[in-house]
């Protein structure tokens, strides 16, 4: 984007569509059904997860897997995640100028667009959860089935690995913000977690044959549905938990939880508001209809009056014409 385009976008976001007497470049208003209501409230998944396909490719590249991983596991993780995250652009209109118009209009009266945004995010997260469940079933079909005891030990390794990745991502974030002491404190916690993970891995390794342990055991992330391996190193886990994909899903889920707190109340309020607006429209339509009927009756009455006057004048002219003809006849004889 050029500097001119960036400046134009900033002015649109600040001043709306009418900053120079212009209209939206899409020739619509913010309340048009074509406009994304979630975008107006800064929570459209297509915006939050933009450009995450590239990150998924990097996270799930072949280099991030160990040599003893199975080829099926590699391809399953890469193909499933890439096809799942490539959601593309939002089918509805996104325009910063329309968002500015909405924010100004929202100050005058409530538009209840949070109800639409809640339903949009609910549908999106429900679809993601269905895909997560399908991915889990797919893993059960492609990986060797573990006993309940071994599966519990594998889950313990997974949970410690995920906690290490999350903590490492947080430590790097604090370090980038200049909070060195806080970052070092988290690094100390990571060392303790690594020791616990090493012990858990030994317990898990000793509970099953070597051939089975060498296979890559995948797990589906509950937040973003990405695939995680039990042998993934700390670097890859930190990249995942600190990546735009995972953080984007956290943001979407947190926003949905926030909106759902008042969803029922807001949904009922909008229903009543829509009913009131519908009654007002019906009253106006009925008033126009009654007014039209009155005007039609008045028009017909005036038409009948004009017709009556015309007939009276015609009869009068006819009588006058007859009298004149009689007078002429009399004078003739």
């Amino acid at each position: 984007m050029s500097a001119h385009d960036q400046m134009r976008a900033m002015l649109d976001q600040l001043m709306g569509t009418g900053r120079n007497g212009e209209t939206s470049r899409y020739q619509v208003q913010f309340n048009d059904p074509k406009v994304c209501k979630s975008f107006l409230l800064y929570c459209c998944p297509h915006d939050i997860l933009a450009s995450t396909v590239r990150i998924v490719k990097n996270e799930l590249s072949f280099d991030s897997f160990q040599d003893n991983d199975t080829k099926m596991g590699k391809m399953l993780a890469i193909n499933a995640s890439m096809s799942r995250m490539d959601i593309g652009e939002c089918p509805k209109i996104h325009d910063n100028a329309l968002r500015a118009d909405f924010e100004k209009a929202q100050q005058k009266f409530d538009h209840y667009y949070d109800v639409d945004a809640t339903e949009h995010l609910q549908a999106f997260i429900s679809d993601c959860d269905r895909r997560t469940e399908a991915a889990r079933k797919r893993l059960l079909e492609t990986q060797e089935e573990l006993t309940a005891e071994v599966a519990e030990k594998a889950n313990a390794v997974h949970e410690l690995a995920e906690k290490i990745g999350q903590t490492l991502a947080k430590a790097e974030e604090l370090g980038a913000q200049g909070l060195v002491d806080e970052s070092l404190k988290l690094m100390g916690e990571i060392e303790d977690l690594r020791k616990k993970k090493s012990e858990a891995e030994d317990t898990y390794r000793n509970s099953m044959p070597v051939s089975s342990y060498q296979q890559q055991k995948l797990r589906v992330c509950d937040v973003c549905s990405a695939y995680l391996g039990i042998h993934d190193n700390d670097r890859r886990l930190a990249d995942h938990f600190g990546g735009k994909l995972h953080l984007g899903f956290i943001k979407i889920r947190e926003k949905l939880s926030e909106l759902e707190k008042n969803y029922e109340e807001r949904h009922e309020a909008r229903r009543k508001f829509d009913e009131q607006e519908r009654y007002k429209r019906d009253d106006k339509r009925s008033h126009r209809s009654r007014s039209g009927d009155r005007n039609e009756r008045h028009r017909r009455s005036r038409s009948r009056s004009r017709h009556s006057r015309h007939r009276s004048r015609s009869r009068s002219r006819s009588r006058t014409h007859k009298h004149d003809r009689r007078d002429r006849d009399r004078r003739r004889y």
Side-chain angles (χ1 to χ4, degrees):
M1 182 182 292
S2 65
H4 178 270
D5 293 336
Q6 291 178 356
M7 184 64 68
R8 181 182 178 86
M10 290 176 62
L11 290 173
D12 286 343
Q13 189 168 2
L14 289 173
M15 304 180 66
T17 57
R19 58 187 177 88
N20 289 324
E22 302 172 349
T23 57
S24 168
R25 61 192 177 99
Y26 297 100
Q27 301 300 315
V28 297
Q29 296 180 343
F30 71 87
N31 56 358
D32 192 286
K34 298 178 183 177
V35 179
C36 179
K37 304 301 185 295
S38 300
F39 166 78
L40 298 179
L41 295 174
Y42 298 88
C43 61
C44 180
H46 294 267
D47 270 0
I48 297 174
L49 299 178
S51 304
T52 54
V53 176
R54 179 181 58 81
I55 296 176
V56 174
K57 288 179 181 178
N58 291 339
E59 287 182 356
L60 295 178
S61 63
F62 281 97
D63 294 337
S64 64
F65 290 87
Q66 293 186 2
D67 294 335
N68 58 1
D69 300 329
T70 63
K71 184 176 181 180
M72 182 180 296
K74 297 175 186 177
M75 297 305 298
L76 178 64
I78 295 174
N79 294 336
S81 296
M82 285 179 60
S83 61
R84 177 177 48 79
M85 286 299 102
D86 190 8
I87 62 176
E89 295 184 358
C90 182
K92 295 193 174 183
I93 294 174
H94 288 199
D95 190 346
N96 289 328
L98 295 175
R99 178 188 282 163
D101 289 346
F102 162 71
E103 291 173 350
K104 291 178 183 178
Q106 184 70 5
Q107 296 175 0
K108 297 179 181 179
F109 72 92
D110 197 347
H111 291 75
Y112 299 99
Y113 285 174
D114 55 318
V115 177
D116 299 279
T118 304
E119 294 171 352
H120 181 199
L121 295 186
Q122 284 176 338
F124 179 80
I125 292 299
S126 296
D127 182 63
C128 292
D129 290 342
R130 284 194 297 270
R131 295 183 181 220
T132 299
E133 187 60 29
R136 289 197 179 99
K137 292 180 180 179
R138 193 180 301 117
L139 287 180
L140 291 177
E141 296 173 357
T142 56
Q143 295 189 140
E144 181 181 347
E145 185 177 358
L146 302 177
T147 64
E149 180 182 359
V150 175
E152 183 179 356
K153 295 176 181 179
N155 289 335
V157 176
H158 270 297
E159 290 172 359
L160 287 169
E162 291 178 10
K163 194 167 184 179
I164 290 173
Q166 293 169 352
T167 308
L168 181 57
K170 183 64 176 178
E172 292 176 348
E173 180 184 355
L174 292 175
Q177 296 174 358
L179 303 175
V180 180
D181 293 339
E182 290 82 350
S183 178
L184 291 176
K185 182 179 179 180
L186 290 180
M187 293 302 295
E189 295 180 5
I190 291 173
E191 291 301 322
D192 294 337
L193 290 172
R194 282 172 176 166
K195 293 179 181 178
K196 294 180 180 179
K197 180 188 174 185
S198 179
E199 296 174 358
E201 285 178 333
D202 291 340
T203 303
Y204 170 61
R205 185 186 299 108
N206 295 330
S207 64
M208 59 191 309
V210 177
S211 58
S212 299
Y213 176 77
Q214 289 178 347
Q215 294 182 3
Q216 175 76 10
K217 295 299 177 181
L218 298 175
R219 180 174 179 175
V220 182
C221 179
D222 294 331
V223 175
C224 64
S225 304
Y227 286 83
L228 302 173
I230 197 170
H231 303 305
D232 289 338
N233 55 42
D234 297 346
R235 178 69 267 156
R236 180 188 179 272
L237 291 173
D239 289 341
H240 168 76
F241 290 108
K244 188 174 182 180
L245 174 66
H246 188 83
L247 296 179
F249 268 95
I250 290 177
K251 182 178 180 180
I252 294 172
R253 291 179 182 275
E254 288 178 348
K255 184 64 177 180
L256 177 58
S257 298
E258 178 185 343
L259 292 172
E260 284 180 332
K261 292 179 182 178
N262 300 320
Y263 173 73
E264 296 297 334
E265 179 182 347
R266 296 284 293 169
H267 187 273
E268 180 64 19
R270 189 177 73 167
R271 186 188 65 79
K272 293 180 179 178
F273 175 79
D274 291 341
E275 285 184 357
Q276 293 174 358
E277 291 297 309
R278 185 166 57 254
Y279 290 150
K280 290 179 182 178
R281 290 194 299 269
D282 292 342
D283 289 343
K284 289 181 180 179
R285 192 179 300 113
S286 177
H287 177 73
R288 286 196 299 268
S289 178
R290 290 194 300 268
S291 178
D293 292 342
R294 286 195 299 269
N295 292 336
E296 179 64 20
R297 287 196 298 269
H298 181 65
R299 186 187 64 78
R300 291 178 180 177
S301 176
R302 291 183 60 187
S303 178
R304 285 195 297 269
S305 298
R306 286 195 302 269
H307 183 65
S308 178
R309 288 196 298 270
H310 176 71
R311 290 180 61 187
S312 297
R313 286 195 296 268
S314 297
R315 286 195 297 268
S316 178
R317 285 196 299 268
S318 178
R319 287 194 296 268
T320 301
H321 179 68
K322 289 179 180 180
H323 292 160
D324 291 343
R325 188 171 58 183
R326 288 173 185 171
D327 291 342
R328 286 196 303 270
D329 293 342
R330 286 172 185 166
R331 285 194 300 269
R332 182 180 303 170
Y333 296 103

